[in-house]
Amino acid sequence: MKTGQIRQSLSGFYDVYAEGQLYRTRARGNFRKRRITPLVGDRVEFDAPTQQEGYILNVLPRQTELVRPPVANVDLAIVVTATTTQEFSTNLLDRQLVALEVAGIKSVIYMAKTDLLSEAEFADRQRLATAYEQIGYQVIIERAAFDPTALAAVKTALAGHVAVVMGQTGAGKSTLLNHLQPGLDLATGEISQALNRGKHTTRKVSLIPIAAGLVADTPGFSSYEVFEIPANELTQYFPEFVRLGADCKYRGCVHINEPKCAVKAALAAGTVLQSRYDDYLQFYETIKNKKVIYNKKK
Ligand SMILES: Nc1nc2c(ncn2[C@@H]2O[C@H](COP(=O)(O)OP(=O)(O)OP(=O)(O)O)[C@@H](O)[C@H]2O)c(=O)[nH]1
Ligand SMILES: [Zn+2]
């Protein structure tokens, strides 16, 4: 028996990488009775008499599991953010960051399309980039449409990780992937559209080695309407609130109506971004209002 990692899945076949080689396998373990479908990124135990006919015997426990793209053990997300004034939204960015915090996936913010900005717009995005860095996120900001320094920074960030590229439609995900891996040839402007059709396509998903990491060739989605966490835990997914919250008067402070709240004090002092706090309140309300819906889930 060997141990390896699924690097690609296509019509019932799983290509497993182990000891420098790829093995084409099928699923045949008793994990199937437990309704575990192997995912790209899974670490698996398998038997392979030849490189062409192997059988997955066991799927090892997952650290993380994404639905779109269906990839296991992702531990890094490049959150591609279009910076043009029409497209840029701190709300959408914060939604993605919170969803990734909840999933236990580290985020790197990639600010794209800066070549389309005026000087004033660029200065504003730079100010935000600094603010997010202070929160604790790495921010990579393009200085040109094809910026080798930004690409090199992405490659460095990928080292040792299993990563996905996320972001809204038109953010520049395919463009970034194509620049990271020339020859990948993803059709720009087509991925979200294809996924949105919601058909059960037998889409190929693979992890491509880029620099010293692995990146899913299919970008992920940013529509996280519901956060499946209790509202009073939302604060845990805002790293700056976690740090400040230690100084709130009340344990379990949710930084809304409580007196002597360190988060609200920092907001008044201008050290917490107003947009972050506004988004926090909006997500908090969203969770409260969706309570009935997510309780119905089995
Ligand atoms: N000027 C400029 N245009 C860009 C940049 N990045 C992407 N674009 C353009 O923006 C459009 C959308 O880019 P994509 O890479 O397809 O965006 P995507 O995130 O993959 O979009 P979906 O497939 O819809 O999810 C394309 O026409 C790109 O050529 C950039 O840095 N500068
Ligand atoms: Zn507080």
Side-chain angles (χ1 to χ4, degrees):
M1 194 173 67
K2 301 182 201 304
T3 303
Q5 182 184 37
I6 302 177
R7 289 284 174 88
Q8 176 167 299
S9 103
L10 178 63
S11 349
F13 288 102
Y14 302 96
D15 291 343
V16 179
Y17 180 86
E19 295 152 10
Q21 290 187 312
L22 278 175
Y23 297 86
R24 178 141 292 192
T25 70
R26 286 177 160 277
R28 178 184 268 191
N30 78 39
F31 59 87
R32 292 184 72 186
K33 292 194 202 100
R34 290 182 274 136
R35 295 181 175 223
I36 295 172
T37 306
L39 290 176
V40 168
D42 268 328
R43 305 205 65 86
V44 297
E45 292 172 335
F46 68 106
D47 265 340
T50 75
Q51 260 182 278
Q52 287 310 313
E53 17 170 15
Y55 296 100
I56 296 177
L57 302 167
N58 191 24
V59 175
L60 298 175
R62 290 170 184 154
Q63 278 167 4
T64 61
E65 186 178 324
L66 286 181
V67 176
R68 288 186 194 181
V71 179
N73 297 322
V74 168
D75 59 2
L76 184 82
I78 309 289
V79 181
V80 179
T81 306
T83 51
T84 63
T85 296
Q86 298 102 301
E87 294 169 290
F88 184 65
S89 153
T90 49
N91 187 284
L92 188 55
L93 175 60
D94 288 334
R95 241 164 231 266
Q96 295 177 83
L97 295 177
V98 169
L100 289 163
E101 293 281 350
V102 172
I105 296 170
K106 183 183 163 183
S107 305
V108 171
I109 301 166
Y110 186 87
M111 289 189 164
K113 299 194 181 179
T114 52
D115 56 306
L116 302 173
L117 305 183
S118 69
E119 265 179 49
E121 286 171 325
F122 188 73
D124 174 73
R125 305 308 181 261
Q126 267 186 315
R127 180 185 62 80
L128 280 167
T130 305
Y132 279 92
E133 277 169 350
Q134 279 162 358
I135 293 168
Y137 295 108
Q138 183 184 353
V139 183
I140 299 170
I141 180 159
E142 279 183 351
R143 311 261 152 187
F146 182 77
D147 179 353
T149 311
L151 285 179
V154 173
K155 288 185 180 177
T156 304
L158 291 176
H161 291 286
V162 177
V164 290
V165 174
M166 300 223 160
Q168 79 260 42
T169 295
K173 301 181 293 294
S174 315
T175 305
L176 175 62
L177 277 169
N178 285 334
H179 284 160
L180 284 171
Q181 182 78 337
L184 190 60
D185 243 2
L186 286 176
T188 51
E190 284 176 10
I191 286 166
S192 301
Q193 233 186 340
L195 288 173
N196 270 334
R197 274 184 227 127
K199 281 186 198 153
H200 283 280
T201 47
T202 47
R203 224 182 138 59
K204 178 177 81 71
V205 180
S206 50
L207 286 174
I208 5 169
I210 293 180
L214 293 169
V215 183
D217 67 345
T218 311
F221 256 70
S222 60
S223 53
Y224 302 103
E225 293 305 328
V226 188
F227 301 117
E228 302 193 1
I229 47 166
N232 66 354
E233 288 178 13
L234 181 63
T235 177
Q236 293 171 21
Y237 305 104
F238 283 71
E240 72 274 46
F241 294 6
V242 172
R243 286 191 298 268
L244 289 162
D247 293 328
C248 292
K249 179 165 184 200
Y250 293 98
R251 258 193 95 212
C253 184
V254 294
H255 328 305
I256 299 176
N257 293 316
E258 298 92 336
K260 305 217 166 134
C261 167
V263 170
K264 281 197 290 178
L267 181 68
T271 48
V272 157
L273 278 179
Q274 183 69 47
S275 57
R276 286 279 286 176
Y277 188 74
D278 291 345
D279 291 341
Y280 171 77
L281 285 184
Q282 194 209 64
F283 302 163
Y284 189 93
E285 286 306 314
T286 306
I287 294 169
K288 286 259 157 187
N289 296 334
K290 294 258 163 115
K291 204 168 187 173
V292 179
I293 296 169
Y294 81 76
N295 278 350
K296 266 199 292 200
K297 272 190 73 174
K298 287 152 264 163

